[in-house]
Amino acid sequence: TTAVAALAVGASVLFGAVSAQAQDTKKFTIALIPGLTTDAFYITMRKGAEAAAKAVGAELVFQGAPDFNPVQQVPVLDAVIARKPDAILIAPTDKTQLVEPLRKAADAGIPVITVDTFIGTGQYQTGSGDADFPLSYIASDNVLGGRMAARSLAKAVGEKGKVYVSNVKPGISTTDQREQGFKDEMKNFPNITVLDTQFNDNDANKAASQLQSVYARNPDLVGVFGANLFSALGAANGVQQAGQSGKVKVVAFDAPTSIVDNIKGGLVDIAIAQHPAEIGYFGVMAAYAHLTGQSIPTAIGTGFTVMDKSNIDNPDVAKFIYQN
Ligand code: T6T
């Protein structure tokens, strides 16, 4: 009997090992839904996500809409849920409008992690029950980013004069927080007046014409903060079209190659580059950790690199220019 028992133990150890290995080699499918597909920020995020997926042997599915809005994003999300991936990473395009569509994923047992933007308050797993069901939020500190932009712009304009924020639309967590941080920080500069925010709906052409109208109404305009890639690009183009290159200072959020060209050409003073590849990488790693039974942090903060003429050719800085 002892020999039989030993054999049985041996077999169960063996089977245990086999099933553990089978579990280890299960190929997880992780979906990444960006804010929109044709944005160097999300294209770069995808590269980081793919690197992480490769490292853990997961499959990454990248599916998104052509424009940044909930009307287009929700059907993409529904289609992804129908494919039953093991986890969903998503940059929700609206703090409130994506709550119920994402709850469907959570109710279907699909873990949800938000990257870049958040839903609700962005504080997850608190037991509030409203929009706290995502497991983790992986992103830049956007309030801090807005404060950094304000300090840079204040310095560039000699701490006085009229400035404004070129922004996308209210309801997007990232750009709302950048504007918030910017305005809070500007309270430290009593000689700077922050004019009304101009909302461009993520359309660079609209941002450019808004710059020209604001300038026409305020010929003493000294600066503009472009709160995301398209806002910044459009505002910079508007400054150029108004013939004010170098006179109306531009601080840009995000760092596509076009903004880098504008830094080199003197149109843009500073770009605050996010680290989208880092967001994608840690997003996939967090999903994988959860799927393999590890606990994960409810928030992971990623970095910034501030780019200007003086450092843009430094490889340690240039590696954060967004990819196409
Ligand atoms: O600024 C990024 C992103 O952080 C934001 O949520 C939306 O706009 C960008 O994708 C840039 O276009």
Side-chain angles (χ1 to χ4, degrees), residues 35-36 38-42 45 68 91-92 115-117 140 142 168 172-175 178 202 227-231 253-254 274 279 322:
L36 74 163
T38 57
D39 175 340
F41 173 83
Y42 295 112
M45 183 188 290
F68 192 99
V115 287
D116 176 44
T117 44
S140 309
N142 288 290
V168 183
I172 304 168
S173 72
T174 46
T175 48
R178 290 169 203 163
N202 225 24
N228 85 331
L229 193 155
F230 301 99
S231 305
F253 220 85
D254 293 312
Q274 304 186 74
I279 298 175
Y322 298 177

Side-chain angles (χ1 to χ4, degrees), residues 143 147 150 179-189:
V143 176
R147 285 187 175 275
E179 181 176 335
Q180 181 68 47
F182 181 88
K183 287 181 169 166
D184 285 349
E185 185 68 24
M186 278 305 191
K187 291 184 183 139
N188 297 326
F189 301 96

